[in-house]
mmCIF file of all heavy atoms in Angstrom:
data_model
loop_
_atom_site.group_PDB
_atom_site.id
_atom_site.type_symbol
_atom_site.label_atom_id
_atom_site.label_comp_id
_atom_site.label_asym_id
_atom_site.label_seq_id
_atom_site.Cartn_x
_atom_site.Cartn_y
_atom_site.Cartn_z
ATOM 1 N N HIS A 1 0.801 -1.227 0.000
ATOM 2 C CA HIS A 1 0.000 0.000 0.000
ATOM 3 C C HIS A 1 0.834 1.277 0.000
ATOM 4 O O HIS A 1 0.265 2.375 0.098
ATOM 5 C CB HIS A 1 -0.938 -0.004 1.214
ATOM 6 C CG HIS A 1 -1.822 -1.201 1.268
ATOM 7 N ND1 HIS A 1 -2.898 -1.375 0.425
ATOM 8 C CD2 HIS A 1 -1.767 -2.322 2.053
ATOM 9 C CE1 HIS A 1 -3.479 -2.541 0.691
ATOM 10 N NE2 HIS A 1 -2.821 -3.128 1.674
ATOM 11 N N GLY A 2 2.147 1.154 -0.128
ATOM 12 C CA GLY A 2 2.976 2.338 -0.193
ATOM 13 C C GLY A 2 2.800 3.090 -1.507
ATOM 14 O O GLY A 2 2.158 2.604 -2.454
ATOM 15 N N ASP A 3 3.386 4.250 -1.582
ATOM 16 C CA ASP A 3 3.218 5.138 -2.744
ATOM 17 C C ASP A 3 3.992 4.607 -3.951
ATOM 18 O O ASP A 3 5.212 4.486 -3.913
ATOM 19 C CB ASP A 3 3.707 6.541 -2.371
ATOM 20 C CG ASP A 3 3.516 7.524 -3.520
ATOM 21 O OD1 ASP A 3 2.714 7.217 -4.435
ATOM 22 O OD2 ASP A 3 4.171 8.575 -3.510
ATOM 23 N N ARG A 4 3.254 4.307 -5.029
ATOM 24 C CA ARG A 4 3.878 3.876 -6.284
ATOM 25 C C ARG A 4 3.555 4.855 -7.422
ATOM 26 O O ARG A 4 3.746 4.534 -8.591
ATOM 27 C CB ARG A 4 3.406 2.474 -6.683
ATOM 28 C CG ARG A 4 3.674 1.379 -5.666
ATOM 29 C CD ARG A 4 3.296 0.025 -6.240
ATOM 30 N NE ARG A 4 3.435 -1.051 -5.275
ATOM 31 C CZ ARG A 4 3.237 -2.351 -5.552
ATOM 32 N NH1 ARG A 4 2.888 -2.690 -6.792
ATOM 33 N NH2 ARG A 4 3.384 -3.268 -4.624
ATOM 34 N N SER A 5 3.071 6.006 -7.090
ATOM 35 C CA SER A 5 2.575 6.920 -8.118
ATOM 36 C C SER A 5 3.655 7.388 -9.077
ATOM 37 O O SER A 5 3.360 7.776 -10.211
ATOM 38 C CB SER A 5 1.903 8.126 -7.456
ATOM 39 O OG SER A 5 2.833 8.830 -6.632
ATOM 40 N N ASN A 6 4.891 7.361 -8.660
ATOM 41 C CA ASN A 6 5.980 7.806 -9.531
ATOM 42 C C ASN A 6 6.791 6.626 -10.076
ATOM 43 O O ASN A 6 7.969 6.781 -10.412
ATOM 44 C CB ASN A 6 6.894 8.775 -8.772
ATOM 45 C CG ASN A 6 6.178 10.053 -8.399
ATOM 46 O OD1 ASN A 6 5.411 10.581 -9.190
ATOM 47 N ND2 ASN A 6 6.417 10.538 -7.183
ATOM 48 N N ALA A 7 6.169 5.459 -10.147
ATOM 49 C CA ALA A 7 6.861 4.263 -10.642
ATOM 50 C C ALA A 7 7.196 4.401 -12.124
ATOM 51 O O ALA A 7 6.464 5.040 -12.896
ATOM 52 C CB ALA A 7 6.009 3.027 -10.412
ATOM 53 N N THR A 8 8.293 3.791 -12.505
ATOM 54 C CA THR A 8 8.681 3.691 -13.915
ATOM 55 C C THR A 8 8.300 2.306 -14.424
ATOM 56 O O THR A 8 8.638 1.301 -13.799
ATOM 57 C CB THR A 8 10.198 3.891 -14.088
ATOM 58 O OG1 THR A 8 10.563 5.182 -13.597
ATOM 59 C CG2 THR A 8 10.600 3.766 -15.545
ATOM 60 N N THR A 9 7.613 2.261 -15.548
ATOM 61 C CA THR A 9 7.268 0.988 -16.175
ATOM 62 C C THR A 9 8.055 0.855 -17.467
ATOM 63 O O THR A 9 8.124 1.804 -18.254
ATOM 64 C CB THR A 9 5.761 0.907 -16.476
ATOM 65 O OG1 THR A 9 5.038 1.078 -15.251
ATOM 66 C CG2 THR A 9 5.400 -0.443 -17.084
ATOM 67 N N TYR A 10 8.658 -0.317 -17.656
ATOM 68 C CA TYR A 10 9.426 -0.554 -18.877
ATOM 69 C C TYR A 10 8.561 -0.245 -20.091
ATOM 70 O O TYR A 10 7.373 -0.588 -20.131
ATOM 71 C CB TYR A 10 9.911 -2.001 -18.910
ATOM 72 C CG TYR A 10 10.853 -2.318 -20.044
ATOM 73 C CD1 TYR A 10 12.059 -1.639 -20.190
ATOM 74 C CD2 TYR A 10 10.548 -3.321 -20.963
ATOM 75 C CE1 TYR A 10 12.929 -1.932 -21.228
ATOM 76 C CE2 TYR A 10 11.411 -3.636 -22.000
ATOM 77 C CZ TYR A 10 12.602 -2.931 -22.131
ATOM 78 O OH TYR A 10 13.460 -3.229 -23.164
ATOM 79 N N HIS A 11 9.149 0.387 -21.078
ATOM 80 C CA HIS A 11 8.372 0.962 -22.173
ATOM 81 C C HIS A 11 7.852 -0.056 -23.180
ATOM 82 O O HIS A 11 7.165 0.319 -24.132
ATOM 83 C CB HIS A 11 9.204 2.017 -22.909
ATOM 84 C CG HIS A 11 10.446 1.468 -23.558
ATOM 85 N ND1 HIS A 11 11.559 1.117 -22.844
ATOM 86 C CD2 HIS A 11 10.729 1.193 -24.855
ATOM 87 C CE1 HIS A 11 12.488 0.663 -23.673
ATOM 88 N NE2 HIS A 11 12.011 0.694 -24.893
ATOM 89 N N LYS A 12 8.151 -1.348 -22.974
ATOM 90 C CA LYS A 12 7.675 -2.354 -23.917
ATOM 91 C C LYS A 12 6.972 -3.479 -23.169
ATOM 92 O O LYS A 12 7.305 -3.789 -22.027
ATOM 93 C CB LYS A 12 8.840 -2.950 -24.714
ATOM 94 C CG LYS A 12 9.565 -1.954 -25.608
ATOM 95 C CD LYS A 12 10.772 -2.612 -26.245
ATOM 96 C CE LYS A 12 11.565 -1.615 -27.077
ATOM 97 N NZ LYS A 12 12.811 -2.212 -27.599
ATOM 98 N N LEU A 13 6.004 -4.090 -23.845
ATOM 99 C CA LEU A 13 5.390 -5.315 -23.358
ATOM 100 C C LEU A 13 6.037 -6.489 -24.079
ATOM 101 O O LEU A 13 6.050 -6.541 -25.312
ATOM 102 C CB LEU A 13 3.887 -5.320 -23.639
ATOM 103 C CG LEU A 13 2.957 -4.656 -22.626
ATOM 104 C CD1 LEU A 13 1.523 -4.812 -23.089
ATOM 105 C CD2 LEU A 13 3.130 -5.267 -21.245
ATOM 106 N N ASN A 14 6.603 -7.408 -23.328
ATOM 107 C CA ASN A 14 7.147 -8.625 -23.922
ATOM 108 C C ASN A 14 6.098 -9.728 -23.842
ATOM 109 O O ASN A 14 5.301 -9.774 -22.896
ATOM 110 C CB ASN A 14 8.418 -9.062 -23.189
ATOM 111 C CG ASN A 14 9.586 -8.158 -23.516
ATOM 112 O OD1 ASN A 14 9.852 -7.870 -24.670
ATOM 113 N ND2 ASN A 14 10.285 -7.683 -22.497
ATOM 114 N N THR A 15 6.096 -10.612 -24.815
ATOM 115 C CA THR A 15 5.106 -11.681 -24.847
ATOM 116 C C THR A 15 5.781 -13.046 -24.753
ATOM 117 O O THR A 15 6.904 -13.239 -25.219
ATOM 118 C CB THR A 15 4.261 -11.620 -26.136
ATOM 119 O OG1 THR A 15 5.134 -11.533 -27.265
ATOM 120 C CG2 THR A 15 3.336 -10.427 -26.115
ATOM 121 N N ILE A 16 5.071 -13.971 -24.147
ATOM 122 C CA ILE A 16 5.551 -15.341 -23.938
ATOM 123 C C ILE A 16 4.465 -16.296 -24.406
ATOM 124 O O ILE A 16 3.309 -16.179 -23.992
ATOM 125 C CB ILE A 16 5.875 -15.605 -22.458
ATOM 126 C CG1 ILE A 16 7.003 -14.685 -21.984
ATOM 127 C CG2 ILE A 16 6.240 -17.063 -22.226
ATOM 128 C CD1 ILE A 16 7.245 -14.730 -20.492
ATOM 129 N N GLU A 17 4.817 -17.217 -25.286
ATOM 130 C CA GLU A 17 3.872 -18.232 -25.741
ATOM 131 C C GLU A 17 4.028 -19.464 -24.860
ATOM 132 O O GLU A 17 5.079 -20.118 -24.863
ATOM 133 C CB GLU A 17 4.131 -18.604 -27.202
ATOM 134 C CG GLU A 17 3.132 -19.600 -27.774
ATOM 135 C CD GLU A 17 1.768 -18.992 -28.074
ATOM 136 O OE1 GLU A 17 1.627 -17.761 -27.976
ATOM 137 O OE2 GLU A 17 0.848 -19.754 -28.403
ATOM 138 N N VAL A 18 2.994 -19.758 -24.085
ATOM 139 C CA VAL A 18 3.021 -20.914 -23.188
ATOM 140 C C VAL A 18 2.410 -22.100 -23.932
ATOM 141 O O VAL A 18 1.228 -22.072 -24.289
ATOM 142 C CB VAL A 18 2.263 -20.624 -21.880
ATOM 143 C CG1 VAL A 18 2.289 -21.848 -20.971
ATOM 144 C CG2 VAL A 18 2.881 -19.418 -21.170
ATOM 145 N N GLU A 19 3.221 -23.112 -24.158
ATOM 146 C CA GLU A 19 2.811 -24.263 -24.953
ATOM 147 C C GLU A 19 2.738 -25.502 -24.066
ATOM 148 O O GLU A 19 3.193 -25.499 -22.936
ATOM 149 C CB GLU A 19 3.821 -24.468 -26.089
ATOM 150 C CG GLU A 19 3.976 -23.226 -26.963
ATOM 151 C CD GLU A 19 5.234 -23.230 -27.813
ATOM 152 O OE1 GLU A 19 5.938 -24.255 -27.830
ATOM 153 O OE2 GLU A 19 5.508 -22.205 -28.445
ATOM 154 N N ARG A 20 2.183 -26.558 -24.617
ATOM 155 C CA ARG A 20 2.099 -27.780 -23.826
ATOM 156 C C ARG A 20 3.449 -28.485 -23.768
ATOM 157 O O ARG A 20 4.346 -28.229 -24.567
ATOM 158 C CB ARG A 20 1.018 -28.705 -24.372
ATOM 159 C CG ARG A 20 1.189 -29.150 -25.812
ATOM 160 C CD ARG A 20 -0.099 -29.792 -26.298
ATOM 161 N NE ARG A 20 -0.035 -30.162 -27.701
ATOM 162 C CZ ARG A 20 0.123 -31.410 -28.147
ATOM 163 N NH1 ARG A 20 0.252 -32.414 -27.288
ATOM 164 N NH2 ARG A 20 0.153 -31.664 -29.433
ATOM 165 N N LYS A 21 3.569 -29.402 -22.836
ATOM 166 C CA LYS A 21 4.842 -30.049 -22.547
ATOM 167 C C LYS A 21 5.448 -30.729 -23.772
ATOM 168 O O LYS A 21 6.670 -30.733 -23.950
ATOM 169 C CB LYS A 21 4.645 -31.080 -21.422
ATOM 170 C CG LYS A 21 5.874 -31.882 -21.051
ATOM 171 C CD LYS A 21 6.917 -31.061 -20.330
ATOM 172 C CE LYS A 21 8.057 -31.943 -19.832
ATOM 173 N NZ LYS A 21 9.110 -31.167 -19.152
ATOM 174 N N ARG A 22 4.620 -31.277 -24.637
ATOM 175 C CA ARG A 22 5.156 -32.015 -25.791
ATOM 176 C C ARG A 22 5.909 -31.118 -26.756
ATOM 177 O O ARG A 22 6.709 -31.593 -27.558
ATOM 178 C CB ARG A 22 4.044 -32.780 -26.502
ATOM 179 C CG ARG A 22 4.563 -33.754 -27.554
ATOM 180 C CD ARG A 22 3.659 -34.940 -27.735
ATOM 181 N NE ARG A 22 3.690 -35.833 -26.598
ATOM 182 C CZ ARG A 22 2.929 -36.925 -26.475
ATOM 183 N NH1 ARG A 22 2.065 -37.236 -27.431
ATOM 184 N NH2 ARG A 22 3.011 -37.695 -25.401
ATOM 185 N N ALA A 23 5.664 -29.813 -26.704
ATOM 186 C CA ALA A 23 6.459 -28.909 -27.527
ATOM 187 C C ALA A 23 7.914 -28.927 -27.093
ATOM 188 O O ALA A 23 8.819 -28.730 -27.905
ATOM 189 C CB ALA A 23 5.905 -27.486 -27.433
ATOM 190 N N GLN A 24 8.156 -29.199 -25.822
ATOM 191 C CA GLN A 24 9.516 -29.216 -25.285
ATOM 192 C C GLN A 24 10.111 -30.615 -25.225
ATOM 193 O O GLN A 24 11.326 -30.788 -25.355
ATOM 194 C CB GLN A 24 9.506 -28.633 -23.866
ATOM 195 C CG GLN A 24 10.860 -28.668 -23.164
ATOM 196 C CD GLN A 24 10.787 -28.076 -21.780
ATOM 197 O OE1 GLN A 24 10.830 -26.868 -21.619
ATOM 198 N NE2 GLN A 24 10.663 -28.922 -20.764
ATOM 199 N N PHE A 25 9.273 -31.623 -25.044
ATOM 200 C CA PHE A 25 9.771 -32.987 -24.878
ATOM 201 C C PHE A 25 8.943 -33.926 -25.736
ATOM 202 O O PHE A 25 7.776 -34.189 -25.450
ATOM 203 C CB PHE A 25 9.698 -33.400 -23.408
ATOM 204 C CG PHE A 25 10.084 -34.836 -23.158
ATOM 205 C CD1 PHE A 25 11.337 -35.307 -23.544
ATOM 206 C CD2 PHE A 25 9.209 -35.710 -22.538
ATOM 207 C CE1 PHE A 25 11.703 -36.626 -23.321
ATOM 208 C CE2 PHE A 25 9.567 -37.028 -22.299
ATOM 209 C CZ PHE A 25 10.819 -37.486 -22.697
ATOM 210 N N SER A 26 9.544 -34.420 -26.814
ATOM 211 C CA SER A 26 8.836 -35.320 -27.720
ATOM 212 C C SER A 26 9.831 -36.248 -28.392
ATOM 213 O O SER A 26 11.006 -35.925 -28.557
ATOM 214 C CB SER A 26 8.056 -34.526 -28.781
ATOM 215 O OG SER A 26 8.931 -33.719 -29.550
ATOM 216 N N THR A 27 9.334 -37.412 -28.787
ATOM 217 C CA THR A 27 10.167 -38.440 -29.402
ATOM 218 C C THR A 27 9.453 -38.913 -30.665
ATOM 219 O O THR A 27 8.411 -39.561 -30.591
ATOM 220 C CB THR A 27 10.381 -39.614 -28.423
ATOM 221 O OG1 THR A 27 10.781 -39.095 -27.149
ATOM 222 C CG2 THR A 27 11.451 -40.553 -28.932
ATOM 223 N N TRP A 28 10.008 -38.558 -31.826
ATOM 224 C CA TRP A 28 9.330 -38.739 -33.117
ATOM 225 C C TRP A 28 9.814 -40.001 -33.835
ATOM 226 O O TRP A 28 11.002 -40.334 -33.813
ATOM 227 C CB TRP A 28 9.604 -37.553 -34.018
ATOM 228 C CG TRP A 28 9.012 -36.248 -33.585
ATOM 229 C CD1 TRP A 28 9.169 -35.615 -32.389
ATOM 230 C CD2 TRP A 28 8.175 -35.397 -34.376
ATOM 231 N NE1 TRP A 28 8.485 -34.431 -32.383
ATOM 232 C CE2 TRP A 28 7.869 -34.267 -33.594
ATOM 233 C CE3 TRP A 28 7.670 -35.479 -35.673
ATOM 234 C CZ2 TRP A 28 7.066 -33.228 -34.069
ATOM 235 C CZ3 TRP A 28 6.888 -34.444 -36.143
ATOM 236 C CH2 TRP A 28 6.577 -33.328 -35.345
ATOM 237 N N TYR A 29 8.861 -40.639 -34.503
ATOM 238 C CA TYR A 29 9.174 -41.775 -35.368
ATOM 239 C C TYR A 29 8.455 -41.547 -36.695
ATOM 240 O O TYR A 29 7.274 -41.198 -36.723
ATOM 241 C CB TYR A 29 8.706 -43.074 -34.730
ATOM 242 C CG TYR A 29 9.083 -44.331 -35.486
ATOM 243 C CD1 TYR A 29 10.358 -44.870 -35.367
ATOM 244 C CD2 TYR A 29 8.167 -44.990 -36.304
ATOM 245 C CE1 TYR A 29 10.710 -46.035 -36.051
ATOM 246 C CE2 TYR A 29 8.516 -46.151 -36.982
ATOM 247 C CZ TYR A 29 9.780 -46.662 -36.852
ATOM 248 O OH TYR A 29 10.128 -47.812 -37.529
ATOM 249 N N GLU A 30 9.184 -41.731 -37.782
ATOM 250 C CA GLU A 30 8.618 -41.504 -39.109
ATOM 251 C C GLU A 30 8.595 -42.792 -39.910
ATOM 252 O O GLU A 30 9.596 -43.507 -39.979
ATOM 253 C CB GLU A 30 9.449 -40.455 -39.868
ATOM 254 C CG GLU A 30 9.007 -40.230 -41.305
ATOM 255 C CD GLU A 30 9.874 -39.234 -42.058
ATOM 256 O OE1 GLU A 30 10.867 -38.744 -41.477
ATOM 257 O OE2 GLU A 30 9.556 -38.943 -43.233
ATOM 258 N N PHE A 31 7.444 -43.107 -40.491
ATOM 259 C CA PHE A 31 7.421 -44.150 -41.516
ATOM 260 C C PHE A 31 6.368 -43.806 -42.563
ATOM 261 O O PHE A 31 5.465 -43.003 -42.335
ATOM 262 C CB PHE A 31 7.229 -45.557 -40.937
ATOM 263 C CG PHE A 31 5.850 -45.908 -40.431
ATOM 264 C CD1 PHE A 31 4.795 -46.158 -41.300
ATOM 265 C CD2 PHE A 31 5.612 -46.050 -39.066
ATOM 266 C CE1 PHE A 31 3.541 -46.516 -40.837
ATOM 267 C CE2 PHE A 31 4.359 -46.408 -38.593
ATOM 268 C CZ PHE A 31 3.319 -46.639 -39.473
ATOM 269 N N PHE A 32 6.516 -44.421 -43.733
ATOM 270 C CA PHE A 32 5.605 -44.179 -44.847
ATOM 271 C C PHE A 32 4.400 -45.113 -44.713
ATOM 272 O O PHE A 32 4.565 -46.345 -44.748
ATOM 273 C CB PHE A 32 6.302 -44.451 -46.176
ATOM 274 C CG PHE A 32 7.288 -43.394 -46.595
ATOM 275 C CD1 PHE A 32 8.478 -43.201 -45.898
ATOM 276 C CD2 PHE A 32 7.032 -42.584 -47.697
ATOM 277 C CE1 PHE A 32 9.389 -42.236 -46.282
ATOM 278 C CE2 PHE A 32 7.941 -41.610 -48.093
ATOM 279 C CZ PHE A 32 9.127 -41.430 -47.380
ATOM 280 N N PRO A 33 3.195 -44.603 -44.575
ATOM 281 C CA PRO A 33 2.021 -45.479 -44.444
ATOM 282 C C PRO A 33 1.869 -46.461 -45.599
ATOM 283 O O PRO A 33 1.404 -47.579 -45.405
ATOM 284 C CB PRO A 33 0.848 -44.489 -44.395
ATOM 285 C CG PRO A 33 1.443 -43.243 -43.853
ATOM 286 C CD PRO A 33 2.829 -43.191 -44.423
ATOM 287 N N ARG A 34 2.278 -46.051 -46.786
ATOM 288 C CA ARG A 34 2.105 -46.950 -47.933
ATOM 289 C C ARG A 34 3.040 -48.148 -47.857
ATOM 290 O O ARG A 34 2.861 -49.128 -48.591
ATOM 291 C CB ARG A 34 2.307 -46.190 -49.235
ATOM 292 C CG ARG A 34 3.731 -45.736 -49.513
ATOM 293 C CD ARG A 34 3.765 -44.870 -50.757
ATOM 294 N NE ARG A 34 5.121 -44.540 -51.191
ATOM 295 C CZ ARG A 34 5.389 -43.697 -52.186
ATOM 296 N NH1 ARG A 34 4.398 -43.124 -52.847
ATOM 297 N NH2 ARG A 34 6.637 -43.450 -52.547
ATOM 298 N N SER A 35 4.049 -48.092 -46.964
ATOM 299 C CA SER A 35 4.963 -49.229 -46.780
ATOM 300 C C SER A 35 4.623 -50.032 -45.530
ATOM 301 O O SER A 35 5.450 -50.796 -45.033
ATOM 302 C CB SER A 35 6.407 -48.735 -46.690
ATOM 303 O OG SER A 35 6.829 -48.129 -47.892
ATOM 304 N N ALA A 36 3.409 -49.884 -45.007
ATOM 305 C CA ALA A 36 3.042 -50.533 -43.747
ATOM 306 C C ALA A 36 2.424 -51.916 -43.934
ATOM 307 O O ALA A 36 2.163 -52.603 -42.950
ATOM 308 C CB ALA A 36 2.069 -49.640 -42.976
ATOM 309 N N ALA A 37 2.187 -52.324 -45.169
ATOM 310 C CA ALA A 37 1.534 -53.618 -45.398
ATOM 311 C C ALA A 37 2.413 -54.762 -44.912
ATOM 312 O O ALA A 37 3.646 -54.701 -44.984
ATOM 313 C CB ALA A 37 1.202 -53.789 -46.873
ATOM 314 N N GLN A 38 1.766 -55.796 -44.433
ATOM 315 C CA GLN A 38 2.514 -56.957 -43.947
ATOM 316 C C GLN A 38 2.870 -57.919 -45.069
ATOM 317 O O GLN A 38 3.788 -58.729 -44.927
ATOM 318 C CB GLN A 38 1.698 -57.684 -42.871
ATOM 319 C CG GLN A 38 1.448 -56.824 -41.635
ATOM 320 C CD GLN A 38 0.808 -57.614 -40.512
ATOM 321 O OE1 GLN A 38 0.560 -58.810 -40.639
ATOM 322 N NE2 GLN A 38 0.543 -56.948 -39.406
ATOM 323 N N GLU A 39 2.155 -57.840 -46.197
ATOM 324 C CA GLU A 39 2.416 -58.746 -47.310
ATOM 325 C C GLU A 39 3.205 -58.033 -48.396
ATOM 326 O O GLU A 39 2.888 -56.891 -48.755
ATOM 327 C CB GLU A 39 1.094 -59.259 -47.897
ATOM 328 C CG GLU A 39 0.268 -60.071 -46.917
ATOM 329 C CD GLU A 39 -1.024 -60.552 -47.549
ATOM 330 O OE1 GLU A 39 -0.987 -60.931 -48.749
ATOM 331 O OE2 GLU A 39 -2.053 -60.530 -46.868
ATOM 332 N N PRO A 40 4.241 -58.672 -48.942
ATOM 333 C CA PRO A 40 5.015 -58.063 -50.027
ATOM 334 C C PRO A 40 4.128 -57.753 -51.232
ATOM 335 O O PRO A 40 3.174 -58.475 -51.530
ATOM 336 C CB PRO A 40 6.053 -59.144 -50.372
ATOM 337 C CG PRO A 40 6.134 -60.011 -49.161
ATOM 338 C CD PRO A 40 4.757 -59.993 -48.554
ATOM 339 N N GLY A 41 4.449 -56.636 -51.891
ATOM 340 C CA GLY A 41 3.742 -56.275 -53.109
ATOM 341 C C GLY A 41 2.433 -55.555 -52.899
ATOM 342 O O GLY A 41 1.760 -55.207 -53.871
ATOM 343 N N LYS A 42 2.044 -55.329 -51.645
ATOM 344 C CA LYS A 42 0.791 -54.643 -51.377
ATOM 345 C C LYS A 42 1.045 -53.226 -50.889
ATOM 346 O O LYS A 42 2.032 -52.949 -50.209
ATOM 347 C CB LYS A 42 -0.031 -55.411 -50.331
ATOM 348 C CG LYS A 42 -0.646 -56.690 -50.873
ATOM 349 C CD LYS A 42 -1.767 -57.186 -49.977
ATOM 350 C CE LYS A 42 -2.506 -58.354 -50.617
ATOM 351 N NZ LYS A 42 -3.632 -58.823 -49.774
#
């Protein structure tokens, strides 16, 4: 409750994008769906 009337505020607003945990920690595996068949030639 003290006097803050002469406070200085930084002249810019910085922004932060808060994302879900998987943006920071993820383990990727890539394969081609067209090569997923169990039988040769399909």
Side-chain angles (χ1 to χ4, degrees):
H1 304 287
D3 182 18
R4 302 186 184 184
S5 60
N6 295 320
T8 300
T9 302
Y10 187 59
H11 63 285
K12 296 175 183 175
L13 274 181
N14 287 312
T15 51
I16 298 171
E17 183 75 8
V18 179
E19 303 163 7
R20 59 193 176 104
K21 177 71 173 179
R22 190 151 290 177
Q24 177 180 279
F25 175 58
S26 60
T27 311
W28 293 55
Y29 185 80
E30 175 182 3
F31 74 74
F32 285 68
R34 69 186 188 186
S35 296
Q38 297 188 1
E39 297 180 39
K42 287 197 172 182

